[in-house]
Amino acid sequence: SALPEKKVVFKGLVTNKEEMNKLMLTPLIHYPLLGGSALITFEKAEVAQRIIEMKEHVVELSYGEELAELDQCRVRVQAAPVEILLPSALEIGLTQSSRSILVSALPCLGIPEEALLDKLELFFSKRKNGGGEVESREFLDDTGQVMLTFANDGVAEPLIARGCIQVLIGKGKYDVKISPCVGGNVTDLQLQPSRCPRTVLLSGIPDVLDAEPMRDALEIHFQKASRGGGEVDALAYVPAGRLGVAVFTEDRG
């Protein structure tokens, strides 16, 4: 319902005006991880590809106290690529609310959110301030903005047209920004399969060690170049009998 404001400086020329109003989306993929498996991300994509091509790996486990009877234990694990679905095309139908406004550039007064909402509602409910009866008010998470919804039509438009208004809060006057409140629904979403270039799925891991030593053993094995591995960037392990969820974000490396 709102995008956070951020001041930016452009160092260059805009050559295609059609690109100026595009909304950039950052994927955030939740990937279920079954028990007895692990996700390992290498610093280099070629290492991940090499591990996948080898398919099966024999990992040595040597932890004397836990495996006293088996001085050394070897387990076989399978390596496979990680396939996820990414949006390739997205259409959103946007509509502007006729009764709601967004209030931003709010002052930092060190008072509770509810108290600030009360003061804003009191100010914008008065006709002399260009407002009207406030039906609801809400702080929008992570944006620092407040959405005010009026009971009647015809109140929001003049306030939005002003763009900025001086608000009396307590004994102080503060300039705040008024913006339209735009909502939207996804009208079309197309997905395409994509392979994570640096991440490998390891499966078939037996429950013979606690989580931490097993994670250490896997990382030690797969970071050795003599075994086809390389520098490990991250490793997540889920023991047998449990379930996990891995979150994939945009690779900015």
Side-chain angles (χ1 to χ4, degrees):
S1 57
L3 295 176
E5 296 179 4
K6 184 178 182 180
K7 294 181 179 180
V8 296
V9 176
F10 291 98
K11 296 182 178 180
L13 297 176
V14 177
T15 57
N16 187 354
K17 292 184 178 180
E18 293 182 358
E19 300 289 332
M20 295 176 63
N21 294 321
K22 286 191 175 181
L23 178 66
M24 301 301 294
L25 299 179
T26 301
L28 189 67
I29 308 299
H30 289 71
Y31 185 88
L33 196 57
L34 300 178
S37 61
L39 287 176
I40 182 169
T41 300
F42 296 95
E43 288 190 355
K44 296 182 179 180
E46 53 265 31
V47 176
Q49 183 59 35
R50 186 164 61 241
I51 293 297
I52 292 171
E53 290 175 353
M54 295 172 67
K55 294 184 179 179
E56 188 174 79
H57 299 263
V58 179
V59 180
E60 294 183 356
L61 311 177
S62 298
Y63 286 88
E65 293 182 2
E66 296 188 42
L67 300 174
E69 299 179 359
L70 303 174
D71 185 32
Q72 191 174 66
C73 176
R74 295 180 177 87
V75 297
R76 295 181 182 274
V77 300
Q78 286 71 46
V82 177
E83 301 280 355
I84 58 177
L85 291 176
L86 291 177
S88 59
L90 175 66
E91 291 184 4
I92 302 177
L94 300 177
T95 56
Q96 181 175 325
S97 172
S98 62
R99 294 186 180 183
S100 299
I101 62 172
L102 292 178
V103 184
S104 58
L106 295 167
C108 296
L109 302 177
I111 62 176
E113 288 186 357
E114 282 299 316
L116 181 57
L117 289 174
D118 288 340
K119 294 181 183 299
L120 290 174
E121 179 177 352
L122 180 62
F123 179 88
F124 283 100
S125 64
K126 295 179 179 179
R127 294 188 180 278
K128 68 178 183 179
N129 296 329
E133 181 184 348
V134 176
E135 187 176 80
S136 64
R137 75 274 177 93
E138 178 187 359
F139 253 108
L140 301 180
D141 294 338
D142 302 324
T143 67
Q145 297 180 330
V146 170
M147 181 174 67
L148 296 177
T149 301
F150 298 100
N152 301 308
D153 291 329
V155 179
E157 290 86 345
L159 290 172
I160 293 171
R162 293 174 66 175
C164 186
I165 188 172
Q166 194 171 71
V167 176
L168 179 64
I169 301 179
K171 296 181 180 181
K173 293 182 178 180
Y174 306 91
D175 291 326
V176 300
K177 183 179 179 181
I178 308 298
S179 306
C181 184
V182 179
N185 294 311
V186 175
T187 56
D188 185 33
L189 175 62
Q190 298 177 22
L191 301 173
Q192 65 178 11
S194 178
R195 175 177 292 190
C196 296
R198 299 190 298 118
T199 302
V200 177
L201 173 64
L202 304 176
S203 59
I205 304 172
D207 189 17
V208 293
L209 286 179
D210 289 338
E212 186 173 351
M214 177 61 80
R215 187 164 48 243
D216 291 342
L218 291 171
E219 185 167 352
I220 289 171
H221 175 91
F222 285 102
Q223 72 180 1
K224 291 184 178 180
S226 60
R227 292 167 178 169
E231 197 66 33
V232 175
D233 192 25
L235 191 150
Y237 164 62
V238 178
R242 299 185 183 180
L243 295 174
V245 176
V247 179
F248 287 90
T249 58
E250 184 178 10
D251 189 353
R252 300 180 181 273

